[in-house]
Amino acid sequence: MSTTTDMATAPVVRRFPAGEVSLAGTIVSEWIKFRGLASNHVLAGFAFLLLTANGIAMPWAYVFRDRGSPKANYDAYPEMIVDKTGYVGIVLAVLAVLMITNEYRSAQIGTTLLAVPRRTAVLVAKASIIAGVSFLIGVVSSAVGFALAPIILAGGGYGYVLETPELARLVLGSGLYLAALSILGIALGTIIRNVVAAVLATIVLLLIVPVIPQMFSEYGTEITRFFPIQAGSLLLAPTGTDPMGPWTGYAVLLIWTLASFVVAAITFLRRDA
């Protein structure tokens, strides 16, 4: 009799099949988690402020440059507004790393996978969130820079010619560039899982490794062109800077990003949480 009563009062736990959890619902869930962490707001805001400040500081520095220095003898050019985007983007790549590694550190990843058994959906959702945030940061910060730069330059009697297609490439390219770097961060965080190790690996890959070929090979400069930051930066560089060109350079960055993401997805599927 007591057994029947216990069975009647016991809570019913329903396990949802993987097919019942949509990708859209997973993205919404990940967005709620992203918004709930103050550190995410701080890092994203910091990246936005750095990019906006660069867009203002570069034309300002041009107006007040040391005209007695040979290095200062150049014409103003629109790409100066976004030429540090890739290096500031490392902040967003680190933010992406923290999105996944912090779940492993807190053991929350187990809860996430219990709610969404399809692991690829979780990974795609996280990548979509950080890529969307990064894209928005890049587009808005560069748009602010291009809106203010002509005013700042005009104050010193300077200016530059900027055609609409070039403006679109630089503004949208800033967002695309940062989105690719952030997905690369998600991939590295998924593969490595440890917070400190993944952050260090991201910084080493993006900043330190590209310098090594130049130290040990006569072809170092040529090799360095094909690393993520260097290749992706061509999207925001003056045309003719490199034979690869803006979109080919960005394609190289995408190859890095997609290859890393595929490895991350395979690793995520095969390892225990």
Side-chain angles (χ1 to χ4, degrees):
M1 185 69 177
S2 60
T3 303
T4 305
T5 304
D6 291 343
M7 292 177 62
T9 58
V12 177
V13 178
R14 181 185 175 190
R15 296 187 179 276
F16 292 92
E20 292 189 23
V21 184
S22 68
L23 177 59
T26 307
I27 292 175
V28 171
S29 175
E30 290 298 328
W31 173 242
I32 293 172
K33 287 196 291 185
F34 182 86
R35 286 189 311 167
L37 287 177
S39 59
N40 292 342
H41 295 269
V42 171
L43 286 175
F46 181 59
F48 176 77
L49 289 177
L50 283 178
L51 291 168
T52 305
N54 177 75
I56 296 172
M58 290 300 289
W60 190 273
Y62 182 84
V63 171
F64 293 99
R65 70 195 188 284
D66 179 11
R67 292 170 177 80
S69 170
K71 293 183 178 181
N73 187 24
Y74 60 90
D75 295 329
Y77 58 99
E79 289 83 2
M80 69 167 65
I81 311 304
V82 293
D83 68 349
K84 299 296 187 297
T85 299
Y87 293 100
V88 177
I90 295 175
V91 176
L92 293 173
V94 169
L95 171 57
V97 167
L98 295 177
M99 281 180 63
I100 184 72
T101 55
N102 276 336
E103 288 209 33
Y104 279 104
R105 182 175 64 177
S106 64
Q108 186 183 0
I109 190 66
T111 304
T112 297
L113 296 179
L114 182 63
V116 186
R118 290 191 304 168
R119 297 192 173 204
T120 52
V122 173
L123 199 58
V124 169
K126 288 182 181 295
S128 300
I129 294 298
I130 191 59
V133 170
S134 299
F135 179 81
L136 187 63
I137 288 173
V139 169
V140 175
S141 62
S142 60
V144 171
F146 282 110
L148 297 179
I151 301 172
I152 298 170
L153 290 170
Y158 302 102
Y160 52 69
V161 177
L162 180 60
E163 302 292 340
T164 301
E166 188 178 12
L167 176 63
R169 170 175 67 89
L170 296 175
V171 173
L172 294 176
S174 296
L176 292 171
Y177 186 13
L178 294 176
L181 285 181
S182 66
I183 295 175
L184 183 61
I186 281 285
L188 292 174
T190 304
I191 294 168
I192 299 174
R193 299 205 291 188
N194 179 270
V195 175
V196 176
V199 169
L200 289 176
T202 301
I203 295 173
V204 168
L205 173 63
L206 296 178
L207 285 182
I208 298 176
V209 174
V211 179
I212 296 176
Q214 300 181 45
M215 299 169 60
F216 297 101
S217 172
E218 61 179 311
Y219 304 106
T221 302
E222 287 296 313
I223 296 172
T224 297
R225 294 168 52 225
F226 293 92
F227 280 92
I229 290 285
Q230 289 71 20
S233 293
L234 294 178
L235 184 58
L236 307 179
T239 54
T241 301
D242 189 282
M244 282 198 295
W247 293 105
T248 303
Y250 184 66
V252 172
L253 171 59
L254 285 182
I255 291 172
W256 277 92
T257 300
L258 293 176
S260 300
F261 193 78
V262 168
V263 173
I266 293 172
T267 303
F268 197 44
L269 287 170
R270 292 185 175 181
R271 286 195 306 204
D272 293 335

